[in-house]
Amino acid sequence: METLRWEKGILYLLNQTVLPFTETYLTCTTWQDVHKAISVLAVRGAPAIGVAAAYGVVLGARSILEKPGDKPFITALQDICTNLDGARPTAVNLHWALEQMMTCAKAHGGESPTAIVHVLEDKAKAIHADDVAINTAMAGWGADEIGKGDRLLTLLTHCNAGALATAGVGTALGVISELHRRGQVKMVYADETRPLLQGARLTAFELMAGGVPVTLITDNMAAWTMKEKGVDAIIVGADRIAANGDTANKIGTYGLSLMAKVLGIPLYIAAPLSTFDRSISGGSQIPIEERSHDEVRSFRGAATALSDTPVYNPAFDVTPHENIRAIITEKGIISHPDTEAVQTFFDKHSL
Ligand code: MRU
């Protein structure tokens, strides 16, 4: 099952809102289709959103080519990127991919719009292919780090940071799958992840399909499960990492980090370098997406609370770097992340 596919100028997105019961693909022929798919979480997970948006820019560029307006090509393309960027504010990979596409378009600004559309398509394909390679590299680094001992591991994860959230094997689930391939996984506990149940619908489904032992729990069972089942490590993904290592991820991750600290369980973040936003010094500057109140008052159209119940629905929270044992990237591990450790890592790899 492919999370996203580009074929003959059309983007096909696996519709994750109806998984695991129905496997259907959305056909995106316009950048507005891609914007909508990102907003409703048909495609979700920071890296997958970035790749989808890159193809969205190609579709946008093509629409300007077919129907030129009053604005210069590059200005019109920038407007489309700004619009796509607003689809989901926390996942910085979206912003990163759009910047990559705009930089590419500007570098070819002197060429014909037809030529620019061609280079943009090549660029989107390159971002897509890179994500696949990045995931594989991360899985190796993470499995080396977490699988250092020789005992079988009991792990816990939150939300979905798997193949469905990326173009490759996944970030956190890529590491877990690699540990499983090496015969080091005893059990993975997957939080169901309210309100949209990415853990129940996607992570449990993905791990079961891959033959990885998984047990689904509700979010409020996490602390007890960690204690009673002897969880060795928590591995999650990330949507944006500040220069000091503070990490935004799916709502609930911060709570897990607090429990893990008390219980002495290490928390690992697996994320590509494109998830770092070093323009911000700390997590308090990360914009947190707030979503529709109906996501909390209902599930798939079935009411679970009165329709006028007041709701707070932040989609992400920020885990302070002090609560993170290490960040796993495609270039290696940042242990005990803080401003200095992150800076040293980026310097070492000339990034
Ligand atoms: O709202 P979602 O489903 O896009 O949230 C996804 C997550 O929080 C993931 O953990 C994160 O994007 C990392 S994905 C590799």
Side-chain angles (χ1 to χ4, degrees), residues 37-61:
I38 294 173
S39 309
V40 302
L41 272 60
V43 60
R44 33 69 49 205
I49 294 170
V51 177
Y55 286 122
V57 176
V58 181
L59 296 173

Side-chain angles (χ1 to χ4, degrees), residues 16 38 41 43-49 88 91 93 135 138 157-166 170-173 193 196 198 201-202 236-240 248-251 253 270-272 275 289 291 315-316:
Q16 300 194 29
I38 294 173
L41 272 60
V43 60
R44 33 69 49 205
I49 294 170
R88 293 207 69 191
N93 305 61
N135 277 248
M138 230 180 316
T157 190
H158 187 66
C159 195
N160 174 269
L164 292 166
T166 68
T171 57
L173 292 195
T193 318
L196 295 180
Q198 289 93 328
R201 297 187 301 106
L202 309 177
V236 294
D239 286 80
R240 192 183 293 232
N249 190 49
K250 178 53 60 189
I251 189 76
T253 308
T275 304
E289 175 184 1
R291 296 185 59 83
F316 300 95

